Amino acid sequence: MFWGFPPLRLFSISLATFPLDLTKTRLQMQGEAALARLGDGAVGSTPYRGMVRTALGIVQEEGFLKLWQGVTPAIYRHVVYSGGRMVTYEHLREVVFGKSEDKHYPLWKSVIGGMMAGVIGQFLANPTDLVKVQMQMEGKRRLEGKPLRFRGVHHAFAKILAEGGIRGLWAGWIPNIQRAALVNMGDLTTYDTVKHYLVLNTPLEDNISTHGLSSLCSGLVASILGTPADVIKSRIMNQPRDKQGRGLLYKSSTDCLIQAVQGEGFLSLYKGFLPSWLRMVKIGKLCFFLSFCFLCISITCTLQIFFIFSTDVWHGLACTRGPFILPFLSVYYRIVGFCFFFFSVTVSLASCFLS
């Protein structure tokens, strides 16, 4: 019931998986050889970190909530990308390709339609992706002593538009749509192929175990195909620019690819591979449950603080009524807060397993 509500599902998945996306972006920027041409001293001093150490470093050096820095444009991106992709895919399936005579939709049509829909959806969402990547790197700029580029999401859009015009909002769009096409191709083909193989050739049935294994395999293939384009896209989007909005490090996506391979080796194209793979695994219900519980805990803590503050004020205004009022109200509101939390967790569990 709740899980089928698209806005709540979209918000939950974005909120739950965003720390992985932030970690992936930070990993993709580590050891960027092209920065040496600008004399950036932070290049040699930046230690190489894995996924876990990068995430822990963000928490220790910037704060826990910085794991969600840039989540607002990420939600914008999901809305635009998912909406554009779904509308395009439905149009291609019903009007352009059509079903076969036996009312079956062949796999090759699904793959081509998915790739084309992904390309169009990603092209439309490129401005939000650009702002998301740049905001994700703001914390690192602060640690390096560099000035922050933006005050917020809307200021970021306005500044990019003022410096680079409409064209500036589509910086990095070529590797971005390449990544979308490759990810959709790998995801769709591998998921259906593995699922059908498991159902036909193993004792497994069409259940959550089969879908989980299929998701692991499809996410792996999609990450192998799409990570190099994702690295190129992120570096082009995050590169410093002149007053006209032109990049100072890379002339094109091909130039970025050549510099990365020559300066850092071929495996540099797979920086951030592990968090990218984990994000692509279809664990939507788990993500929904985790993020919903996180939201419930936050609301509960807020209510507790408010209620305790209210009881303190009440005690200050009505101290003549006796010392029993403060403990009574404090215990009462604590019970209300915890009941709200457990009710919310129960609802989220039910929505996960009954949807």
Side-chain angles (χ1 to χ4, degrees):
M1 177 175 61
F2 296 95
W3 174 246
F5 187 53
L8 184 57
R9 177 183 180 182
L10 184 67
F11 172 78
S12 301
I13 293 178
S14 301
L15 187 65
T17 62
F18 188 78
L20 287 172
D21 187 72
L22 175 67
T23 304
K24 177 203 71 173
T25 303
R26 294 290 183 91
L27 286 170
Q28 290 172 344
M29 303 300 176
Q30 285 189 5
E32 194 171 0
L35 287 174
R37 291 195 295 107
L38 293 181
D40 195 330
V43 179
S45 61
T46 302
Y48 283 92
R49 297 174 173 176
M51 181 185 73
V52 176
R53 289 185 61 193
T54 299
L56 291 177
I58 294 172
V59 174
Q60 294 172 355
E61 298 166 358
E62 305 172 38
F64 177 74
L65 292 181
K66 292 301 181 180
L67 287 173
W68 282 269
Q69 187 171 29
V71 70
T72 303
I75 295 175
Y76 292 167
R77 183 256 179 196
H78 278 297
V79 171
V80 177
Y81 174 70
S82 299
R85 184 177 61 172
M86 286 190 294
V87 171
T88 304
Y89 184 77
E90 290 297 324
H91 178 77
L92 292 173
R93 187 178 65 175
E94 300 296 333
V95 179
V96 179
F97 294 121
K99 296 182 179 180
S100 57
E101 296 180 356
D102 58 353
K103 302 298 182 180
H104 177 69
Y105 198 65
L107 178 61
W108 69 269
K109 290 186 177 180
S110 297
V111 173
I112 296 177
M115 291 177 63
M116 296 177 64
V119 166
I120 294 175
Q122 191 62 74
F123 179 79
L124 295 175
N126 195 83
T128 57
D129 224 348
L130 175 66
V131 172
K132 182 200 73 171
V133 168
Q134 294 195 9
M135 292 192 68
Q136 286 176 332
M137 297 303 299
E138 289 294 88
K140 184 180 178 182
R141 290 179 61 88
R142 183 184 291 109
L143 292 176
E144 294 173 351
K146 299 177 181 178
L148 298 182
R149 291 173 289 192
F150 313 118
R151 295 191 300 270
V153 179
H154 300 97
H155 178 246
F157 280 109
K159 184 177 179 181
I160 294 173
L161 184 63
E163 293 179 353
I166 295 295
R167 184 178 179 181
L169 291 172
W170 269 266
W173 70 272
I174 294 179
N176 209 5
I177 66 171
Q178 289 173 345
R179 174 193 174 276
L182 293 170
V183 165
N184 279 278
M185 179 183 68
D187 187 24
L188 292 171
T189 55
T190 307
Y191 184 83
D192 287 338
T193 302
V194 172
K195 187 180 71 172
H196 291 157
Y197 177 83
L198 292 175
V199 171
L200 296 177
N201 299 282
T202 68
L204 294 175
E205 299 179 355
D206 190 1
N207 52 27
I208 189 172
S209 299
T210 305
H211 288 277
L213 291 173
S214 303
S215 297
L216 285 172
C217 295
S218 64
L220 177 63
V221 174
S223 297
I224 292 174
L225 294 176
T227 299
D230 196 16
V231 173
I232 302 303
K233 176 263 297 185
S234 297
R235 293 189 172 190
I236 289 180
M237 288 182 171
N238 187 61
Q239 68 174 324
R241 300 180 180 275
D242 58 19
K243 295 182 179 180
Q244 287 72 39
R246 295 173 297 190
L248 299 176
L249 298 180
Y250 310 111
K251 300 177 182 178
S252 63
S253 56
T254 304
D255 181 44
C256 181
L257 173 66
I258 294 174
Q259 290 195 49
V261 174
Q262 288 181 346
E264 305 164 52
F266 177 77
L267 291 181
S268 65
L269 299 177
Y270 284 91
K271 291 181 177 180
F273 173 82
L274 183 57
S276 178
W277 179 21
L278 293 177
R279 286 190 72 245
M280 290 184 185
V281 176
K282 296 181 177 65
I283 53 174
K285 291 187 177 182
L286 177 60
C287 294
F288 170 76
F289 171 68
L290 292 176
S291 60
F292 197 85
C293 286
F294 178 79
L295 183 63
C296 293
I297 293 173
S298 302
I299 294 176
T300 304
C301 293
T302 303
L303 288 175
Q304 295 244 3
I305 293 173
F306 173 76
F307 289 146
I308 291 174
F309 175 76
S310 300
T311 55
D312 289 340
V313 174
W314 177 265
H315 182 257
L317 294 177
C319 58
T320 58
R321 299 191 179 188
F324 64 89
I325 296 178
L326 177 60
F328 173 77
L329 289 178
S330 180
V331 172
Y332 172 75
Y333 285 124
R334 286 173 186 270
I335 293 174
V336 171
F338 281 115
C339 287
F340 171 80
F341 169 67
F342 286 117
F343 171 76
S344 303
V345 172
T346 303
V347 170
S348 64
L349 277 172
S351 65
C352 284
F353 294 105
L354 297 180
S355 59

